[in-house]
Structure formats: C-alpha cells, structure tokens
Amino acid sequence: MKTGEIKMETSVLETIIGGSRLGIMGGTFDPIHYGHLVAAETARIELKLDKVLFIPTGTPPHKIYRQVTDAHLRHEMVEMAINSNRNFKVSGLEIEREGPTYTIDTLRILHDIFPEQELFFITGTDALRELLTWRHPEEIIKLARIVGASRPGYDSRNLLTKINRRYPFTKDRISELEVPALAISSTDIRTRVKNNKSIRYLLPDEIRLFIKDNKLYQNK
Ligand code: ATP
Ligand code: MG
C-alpha cells in the first residue's frame, strides 16, 4: 500500500471505529461464510468488543499454492455479508498492500492508528496452531490478545496448555472461545460450486448469488 492510500484508509478507519476494544478477524474469505460470521459475533458478545474489523488478506503467504480470488471481489463479498451488522466493519488495509501480507504488519498499523484500543485477534483453532509459526509471534501477541474460536474438525483439547508450555510469552494472552459448531469451510464451498452442489444456507444468500453472477469457483 502506498503512503497516500494508507492515509486514506486510516481516515476511513478513524471515522468508523470507536470504543476501546477492537476485534480483528483476518482471513482469506474466499468466500466469507457463516462460520466466520458466527465466530466474529460470538467474540464480539463474549469479549464485549466495540467493533469487529474484518480484514481480507491480499496475497496470503501460506496460500500461494492455489489461485486466490481477486482481493477486491473477496472484499466485496465481506462487505455484503457484514452490511446488516453495525458493529462489523471491513478494511482494505491488506488488499492494497503489495506482496505477501503478514499479520504482524497489519497489527503494527492498527496499533499505530488506535494506540488506546485493546486489540483482539480472532482466529479459528486451525489457524491458532499455526500462529506461532508466523512472523514475529512474540510481537503479535504483545500487540493483540489472541482469541481461539473453536472449529469443528480441529481438536483443540489441551492446545492452549501445550502452547503456553512451549511458548511462555503466550501466557494470559490467548483465550479459547466456544463458538456454536459450524463445520463450514471456504474450501468446501469452492468444491461444492465446482461440482455443481448446493451451497445454500452455508453463507448469506447475496453471497451465493454473487458467486453465481461472477462465475466464481467454477473452473475444474
Ligand atoms: P479455507 O478453507 O480456504 O482455508 P476457511 O473456511 O478456513 O477457508 P479462512 O478465510 O481461511 O476460511 O479463515 C479465516 C479465519 O476464520 C481463520 O482464523 C479460521 O480459522 C476461521 N474460521 C473459518 N471457518 C470457521 C468456522 N467454521 N468456525 C470457526 N472459525 C472459522
Ligand atoms: Mg482456512
């Protein structure tokens, strides 16, 4: 992202974000589905967050092996999906940045913009496992509390204890969040579309129609 764009994004963020506790939901959102939305809403309520900011990734460093849908289309889908919740916002912070995007860079920017806000990085248990392999995990955890949302298919038993034991700096900075179980994934949705199977009720209906209209995920 160029400096001018960062400034613009910053002013956009400043006008929309208030309060003292900010949730951050990062993801590829290719496409966004009810699993993401339920995790974000549960975190918002349980942790008394003022807002949850959805940040679609630009070029995700760990997903370079597959073709990810154009970032602006993914951003548009997120925008549509959260439109009816005034406590949910979307930011183009990562999609405008060139090259791979790293969570640490995003958190540094958000911390600079909102030095007074406590940041909560919401992630499913699958991504929580990997978190400690990301760039600068110690700084990530210093800048944001981590919220590990339960996700069907990923065993999270003793995960926190194991993480705390192995990485002592994580102590008291990661919490687990019980989310109504939805075994929905973007991968499964993409596979269904490719195989002409229904994706109804796995994600908001406008997103289903958007996928259809834009012929996403169809190529074999
Ligand atoms: P993909 O299959 O392409 O990896 P995904 O469904 O895992 O997609 P992501 O965009 O990778 O979606 O996920 C963004 C964040 O949302 C991650 O932290 C992930 O763990 C979390 N998440 C995704 N689906 C669920 C779900 N069903 N329940 C709880 N958390 C989820
Ligand atoms: Mg994923």
Side-chain angles (χ1 to χ4, degrees):
M1 192 187 271
K2 296 174 202 86
T3 326
E5 286 165 344
I6 289 180
K7 270 200 198 115
M8 197 182 77
E9 174 76 21
T10 306
S11 60
V12 170
L13 288 174
E14 275 166 353
T15 57
I16 57 175
I17 306 287
S20 58
R21 292 162 75 85
L22 174 63
I24 300 156
M25 182 90 198
T28 318
F29 304 123
D30 194 13
I32 188 165
H33 53 68
Y34 283 130
H36 301 126
L37 294 164
V38 165
E41 180 67 354
T42 308
R44 186 182 73 77
I45 292 167
E46 293 297 318
L47 298 160
K48 301 186 170 54
L49 306 177
D50 297 292
K51 293 274 185 288
V52 177
L53 189 60
F54 286 70
I55 308 185
T57 51
T59 310
H62 56 287
K63 281 187 181 167
I64 37 181
Y65 55 86
R66 83 164 176 88
Q67 191 67 43
V68 174
T69 304
D70 178 83
H72 295 93
L73 292 176
R74 290 184 286 111
H75 184 278
E76 209 174 326
M77 290 192 273
V78 173
E79 211 161 34
M80 280 193 282
I82 65 169
N83 185 29
S84 62
N85 188 333
R86 66 188 176 88
N87 299 308
F88 286 178
K89 302 286 172 197
V90 59
S91 165
L93 204 59
E94 290 197 358
I95 65 171
E96 303 301 345
R97 215 184 297 156
E98 272 168 36
T101 48
Y102 294 97
T103 296
I104 186 60
D105 299 325
T106 304
L107 291 178
R108 282 177 186 152
I109 293 172
L110 290 174
H111 179 72
D112 280 351
I113 306 175
F114 307 115
E116 307 292 320
Q117 296 238 16
E118 185 154 16
L119 306 180
F120 294 80
F121 189 79
I122 306 158
T123 170
T125 29
D126 56 320
L128 180 60
R129 275 165 208 283
E130 292 166 17
L131 185 93
L132 282 311
T133 68
W134 295 354
R135 268 198 187 181
H136 306 301
E138 270 196 79
E139 200 191 334
I140 289 182
I141 279 167
K142 231 179 250 163
L143 291 175
R145 286 177 179 273
I146 310 298
V147 182
S150 57
R151 182 172 186 183
Y154 299 93
D155 180 16
S156 59
R157 269 176 310 161
N158 306 322
L159 180 61
L160 196 51
T161 318
K162 280 184 209 155
I163 290 178
N164 287 159
R165 199 177 301 142
R166 183 137 179 230
Y167 305 96
F169 60 87
T170 62
K171 200 165 174 297
D172 301 326
R173 296 296 291 169
I174 307 183
S175 58
E176 286 173 293
L177 179 73
E178 198 63 45
V179 169
L182 289 178
I184 303 175
S185 73
S186 304
T187 301
D188 179 55
I189 291 173
R190 293 192 301 271
T191 309
R192 281 168 179 270
V193 173
K194 207 189 270 183
N195 297 322
N196 278 318
K197 284 192 180 158
S198 172
I199 56 167
R200 215 175 212 157
Y201 312 126
L202 299 176
L203 74 184
D205 225 30
E206 308 103 272
I207 316 296
R208 178 177 68 82
L209 297 171
F210 184 90
I211 290 171
K212 205 171 163 196
D213 290 346
N214 288 278
K215 301 189 170 54
L216 300 182
Y217 316 127
Q218 289 180 355
N219 34 336
K220 302 265 173 196

